[in-house]
Amino acid sequence: MSVRILALVGSLRAGSHNRQLAEAAVTFAPEGADVEIFEGLAEIPFYNEDIDVKDDVPTAAAKLREAAASADAFLLVSPEYNGTIPAVLKNAIDWLSRPFGAGAFGGKPVAVVGTAFGQYGGVWAQDETRKAAGIAGGKVLEDVKLSIPGSLTRFAETHPADDAEVAAQLTAVVARLHGHAGAAA
């Protein structure tokens, strides 16, 4: 049985280093793990209880919930915008936290990774992401972390998958997430 890991990327930019980090996670997934990057976060409307109506949820949000419901674990990839989590990633977490008490995170393992230009690699945003995912019902793996500083210079001419140090660290993160998801199954 394959473990399905759903990756949500908090950057919508075409050349995003965080998107590239998620692509590398797909490449480095261990045997028995399938990492899928969710496409379509940009189309999901901001969470609003008035539009979260049973049997009439916006299509983009319904697709996210469907993908999340079939996932065994989550890899949240967060850059840092103004010292915190990007709105698009927070919005996805908000949609997945509902219906209250029965959201898609439902005790599933969650790991948070990311890269940012600053000297700490986006740790504030990643800490906020862990907090939000945990409150939303995810089993946040607090000791499974990867924050890569200096993204603009470090990845100026190198894809994260081609950076040996990043490749080794990301491989370890995905393997540990896979292990937690497999143990929970």
Side-chain angles (χ1 to χ4, degrees):
M1 177 182 111
S2 182
V3 170
R4 294 191 67 243
I5 300 170
L6 185 64
L8 303 178
V9 181
S11 175
L12 302 176
R13 191 171 59 83
S16 164
H17 297 121
N18 283 281
R19 170 64 187 220
Q20 292 174 356
L21 198 59
E23 291 167 353
V26 171
T27 301
F28 300 132
E31 176 123 5
D34 177 29
V35 177
E36 171 194 345
I37 301 171
F38 183 80
E39 305 293 347
L41 289 185
E43 286 77 40
I44 300 170
F46 281 111
Y47 185 79
N48 175 344
E49 285 184 46
D50 292 341
I51 63 172
D52 188 4
V53 179
K54 187 175 177 163
D55 300 325
D56 196 26
V57 172
T59 303
K63 286 181 182 177
L64 172 64
R65 284 181 173 167
E66 182 180 309
S70 65
D72 300 303
F74 297 90
L75 179 66
L76 306 182
V77 186
S78 184
E80 188 168 273
Y81 292 175
N82 298 313
T84 194
I85 182 175
V88 69
L89 185 55
K90 176 62 167 69
N91 188 49
I93 292 169
D94 290 345
W95 276 102
L96 295 177
S97 72
R98 300 290 194 267
F100 183 75
F105 283 112
K108 296 175 184 177
V110 178
V112 180
V113 300
T115 186
F117 181 62
Q119 66 181 336
Y120 301 111
V123 294
W124 287 347
Q126 293 162 34
D127 286 345
E128 291 294 317
T129 302
R130 283 183 197 86
K131 175 183 164 187
I135 291 170
K139 180 184 173 194
V140 177
L141 307 178
E142 293 290 344
D143 63 335
V144 180
K145 299 178 179 181
L146 176 58
S147 301
I148 306 163
S151 61
L152 293 180
T153 52
R154 185 168 190 158
F155 303 126
E157 296 183 22
T158 303
H159 191 287
D162 298 325
D163 180 310
E165 180 183 16
V166 170
Q169 292 172 331
L170 187 58
T171 298
V173 165
V174 176
R176 291 192 59 206
L177 181 58
H178 173 254
H180 281 276

